Structures are given as C-alpha cells and as structure tokens.
Amino acid sequence: MTDPQNPPSNFEPLQGEASPEELEAAQAANEADASAAATAEIAQLKAKNAELADQFLRAQADVQNARRRADEEITKGRKFAIESFAESLLPVLDSLEAGQAHKDATPEQIREGAEATLRQLKSALERNKVIEIAPAPGSKFDPHQHQAISVVPVEGQEPNTIVGVLQKGYTIAERVLRPALVTVSQAG
C-alpha cells in the first residue's frame, strides 16, 4: 500500500510550465466560453430590447387612443353642451308662437300671455343655473357682481351702496355672465 505522504520513488510530480499547445488550447477554451457567454448575453439583451420596444409602442398607442377619445369627448361636450338649455327654451318659443297666432287677442290677453311666457323663460334659465343679479337698493356694492354706471350723492344712505338697478345682471353656475348695471351712492 502506498502512503500518500510518501509517494513512491518512481513518481515525479508535474513541474514546470505548460506547453504552448496546452496554453493555446486553454486560451481557445476560455475564448469560446467568453464568446458563448457574450452571444448568450447579446441574445438576452436583444430579446429584452424587443420586449421594451413592444411595450413602448403599445404605451404610445394607448396614449394616442386616450388623447383621441378625450378629443372626441370634448368635441361632443361642446357640440351638445347647450342641448338641455335649448330643450328648456322650446316651451318659451312655443308660447311666443302661440301668442302670435291669436290675431284678435285683447291687450289684456297679450299681457297675460307675455307674463306667462316670461315666467317660463325665467324658470328655464333657473333650471340651467342662470340666476338673476338684482341687488336691492341700499345693499353693498360688489364689484364682482355689479358694474357702477354712475355715482350719486344720496342723503341718509351709506357710501358705496346701491341706489338703483339700471339693468339686471346674471350668473351662470355661480360665475358672472353679465354684471348688474347699478347706480352707487357717493362717499360723503
């Protein structure tokens, strides 16, 4: 039996350098491994690149579709925004046409018809959030809702308060559509 600590005398350990053929073979093997690894990495990167390019194109298409849908919705919204408003005005139009059809109406009937039509018109405006601005005399002047046409001295009335309304104003959805034209008391 041989002792691993003491090798037989005819056994000589390898010594020295590898032969040029061995080095060349080892280098070729390393290069082949590196080349195979690089090729595999390139294939992975190409696959990832293709996947990302596909995701980008899909995302871009989604954005364009969303933009197109939003534009269509805006166009429809603008086109049909006044539809309910116009619908609520049709009875007013019908009343006016019916009033014109009565050729021998008395002045009292014409007045009653005009008052009823005016009520219809005010109701249609209110349903569509068009609210009248008609400040009472003595109320505080609000430059956001009123437009002062003139300033007059008034005894017994505080300055910058409404004296009279020359033309009513209107708001639509709490935004001033037309300010009320008013006369304001002068500062004393």
Side-chain angles (χ1 to χ4, degrees):
M1 198 165 11
T2 356
D3 184 8
Q5 300 289 335
N6 297 321
S9 59
N10 63 352
F11 180 75
E12 288 184 36
L14 291 176
Q15 290 182 352
E17 296 182 17
S19 69
E21 293 81 21
E22 291 174 329
L23 288 174
E24 192 175 306
Q27 186 176 2
N30 285 344
E31 287 176 4
D33 288 346
S35 176
T39 302
E41 187 176 356
I42 288 172
Q44 277 182 321
L45 291 174
K46 282 183 178 180
K48 185 68 174 175
N49 187 22
E51 180 185 336
L52 291 174
D54 183 57
Q55 287 177 357
F56 172 75
L57 289 175
R58 288 177 189 272
Q60 199 172 26
D62 286 346
V63 167
Q64 288 173 350
N65 287 338
R67 185 176 292 137
R68 182 184 47 76
R69 281 191 301 272
D71 288 345
E72 287 173 1
E73 288 297 319
I74 289 170
T75 301
K76 283 180 185 176
R78 286 182 181 149
K79 187 176 180 181
F80 298 111
I82 63 167
E83 183 176 5
S84 69
F85 184 67
E87 263 181 28
S88 65
L89 289 179
L90 291 178
V92 176
L93 179 63
D94 293 340
S95 293
L96 289 171
E97 288 175 343
Q100 276 188 322
H102 285 321
K103 300 294 181 201
D104 16 321
T106 65
E108 186 177 300
Q109 289 173 324
I110 292 173
R111 180 168 181 79
E112 286 175 13
E115 287 173 355
T117 303
L118 181 61
R119 282 191 304 275
Q120 278 183 318
L121 179 59
K122 284 183 176 184
S123 175
L125 289 172
E126 286 177 6
R127 275 194 311 273
N128 288 281
K129 311 272 189 284
V130 178
I131 308 298
E132 186 177 275
I133 302 173
S139 61
K140 189 79 173 151
F141 174 75
D142 180 358
H144 299 291
Q145 292 191 342
H146 310 137
Q147 181 176 347
I149 296 302
S150 63
V151 179
V152 294
V154 177
E155 287 188 36
Q157 190 168 336
E158 287 188 37
N160 291 329
T161 56
I162 307 293
V163 174
V165 177
L166 304 171
Q167 184 181 57
K168 295 176 186 175
Y170 293 90
T171 62
I172 185 164
E174 299 180 19
R175 183 176 177 182
V176 175
L177 184 61
R178 180 179 81 187
L181 301 181
V182 297
T183 304
V184 180
S185 62
Q186 188 174 29

